[in-house]
Each structure stands twice: as structure tokens, then as C-alpha cells.
Amino acid sequence: MLYEPHSPMSLYGLQHSVYVRFSVLALSSIFFLVDPFAALPTFLAVTAGSDSVRRRQTARKASLTALIFLSAFAVAGQYIFKMFGITLPAFEIAGGVILLLIGLDMLEAKRSPTQEASGDAEAAASKEDAGIVPLGIPMLAGPGAIASVMVLVGQAQNLWQMVAILGSIFITALICYFVLGNSDRVAKALGETGIRILVRIMGLLLVALAVQYFVNGLADLGVITKPS
């Protein structure tokens, strides 16, 4: 059976569907900011000497912590906006600043201080709950990821968009578990050079996303004309 160019089931329809575009935006922005690949070196340092079972337990704790924390901000996002009187354009511009700083650090293949402070890995190595703090928060669910979730929530206008945001958080957490739970294999497969290249690519996309947040914020304030 042939589909018409504008049929919802056609490739053209999928590419131009607002549902698909918002879902892709939500998943990509959240995943790039959580970025489990950039957390691999720290995770390996924290779990050094642990067997595969213990490593997967730590990965499960970190991923579950990020899932719960980001989901909580997604659900409470609208209430937080109303409680503090924060407008979406203000949060878009503030989020753009945070994303830009993180993205610029990622372009140099290093972790942003907003995600990982100096000495965090060494301090976490001796902690029993390292999977929660600092691996879950703030290394995975850091200020950038929270800001991105909040901006997406501010843009959400109906139930399916909220479902897309929560689904993106769940998929990201699931990928984090598989990447960190198999950290030794992933690190060996990618190599140090491969991880650096991957982080730089994500950083470039993150900088572009930060600029888009700036544009959206300025357009919503009426400073510039919103691009079509």
C-alpha cells in the first residue's frame, strides 16, 4: 500500500510531526546533559576494585536516583514556576547560560564543574552511597539536566508532551544503567579517544541547543522575531 506524502504514516509526516519533533528534542536535550559516557572515567574510579555485581548495583542506584530526581522536577515544574513567579523566557535564558557553560567544557572533553567538582571522585570512592551522591546527583542529574527538564515542562502544553518528557527521562536513565553497569566493556570498546570524541560531539550539539534556548527566550520576550 502506498502512502500519500502528507500521510501521518509516511516519512514526510513523521519528520514534520510536532509529536515526533518534541519527543526527539526532549530525549536529545536530556540525554546530552546527563551524558553517561562523560561520567565513565569517574564511575570507573569510584568503583575501582569492585566486582561486576557491585558495579551494577552502583550503576542501578545512580540511574534510579537520576530518574526519580529529574521526574520529580518534571512533575513539579509548573508549580515551581508559579510558586517563585518565574516566567518561561527567563528560565530559557538562564538554562541557555548553564547549557552553554557545560557545552563549552564538553568541547574540551572535560566534565563541567557544575556536574563534577574537583575531588568528587576521590571522596566518593570511600562512600557506601556513592551511587546516590555524587554519581546520581549531580554527575548525572545535575543543574544542566534539571534546567533542560524545567524548560521542556514550561513548553509542554498538553498531556502527551509531559508523557514525552517523562519517557525521555526513563529512556535516558535506562541507557545510563546499561552504560555504567557495563562500564569496563564500554570503556574498552570506545577507548579514551573514542570517549573524548563522543563527548566533544555531544558538547557541540549542546552549545547549539543553548543558543536555541537563548533565541526562544528572547523571542518569547518580544526582543526578536521568533523564527518559523
Side-chain angles (χ1 to χ4, degrees):
M1 179 179 177
L2 296 176
Y3 295 102
E4 294 297 325
H6 295 282
S7 170
M9 293 299 292
S10 68
L11 181 60
Y12 180 90
L14 288 174
Q15 288 176 337
H16 292 78
S17 169
V18 66
Y19 302 97
V20 174
R21 290 171 64 182
F22 186 88
S23 298
V24 170
L25 172 64
L27 180 58
S28 58
S29 58
I30 293 171
F31 180 74
F32 292 156
L33 281 159
V34 174
D35 193 7
F37 295 102
L40 270 176
T42 301
F43 183 84
L44 289 170
V46 170
T47 58
S50 300
D51 57 21
S52 58
V53 175
R54 181 67 180 273
R55 188 172 289 146
R56 289 188 179 184
Q57 287 177 345
T58 304
R60 188 182 300 113
K61 279 185 180 180
S63 303
L64 191 59
T65 299
L67 172 64
I68 294 172
F69 199 68
L70 293 179
S71 296
F73 271 94
V75 172
Q78 295 287 0
Y79 300 101
I80 293 174
F81 279 130
K82 292 177 181 178
M83 185 183 301
F84 294 98
I86 302 172
T87 61
L88 177 59
F91 214 96
E92 285 176 328
I93 294 173
V97 173
I98 296 173
L99 267 61
L100 182 63
L101 294 174
I102 295 174
L104 291 175
D105 282 329
M106 288 173 67
L107 284 174
E108 298 179 16
K110 65 181 183 180
R111 294 285 281 177
S112 171
T114 63
Q115 295 173 302
E116 180 180 344
S118 177
D120 275 357
E122 293 79 3
S126 59
K127 294 176 64 176
E128 288 295 324
D129 60 346
I132 300 175
V133 179
L135 289 175
I137 306 170
M139 290 185 188
L140 294 181
I146 294 170
S148 183
V149 168
M150 292 287 286
V151 170
L152 289 168
V153 168
Q155 294 174 342
Q157 299 178 348
N158 48 45
L159 181 60
W160 73 260
Q161 289 178 322
M162 283 300 303
V163 171
I165 295 170
L166 292 172
S168 298
I169 294 171
F170 177 79
I171 293 172
T172 298
L174 196 61
I175 296 174
C176 286
Y177 171 68
F178 282 112
V179 170
L180 298 180
N182 299 281
S183 53
D184 51 345
R185 295 179 183 178
V186 175
K188 187 177 180 180
L190 292 176
E192 186 176 346
T193 302
I195 293 175
R196 286 177 177 271
I197 292 172
L198 198 57
V199 171
R200 283 192 170 103
I201 292 173
M202 289 186 173
L204 178 60
L205 295 172
L206 203 56
V207 170
L209 187 62
V211 173
Q212 186 62 55
Y213 278 7
F214 280 128
V215 171
N216 291 346
L218 292 174
D220 289 340
L221 288 172
V223 177
I224 62 174
T225 304
K226 195 165 188 174
S228 57

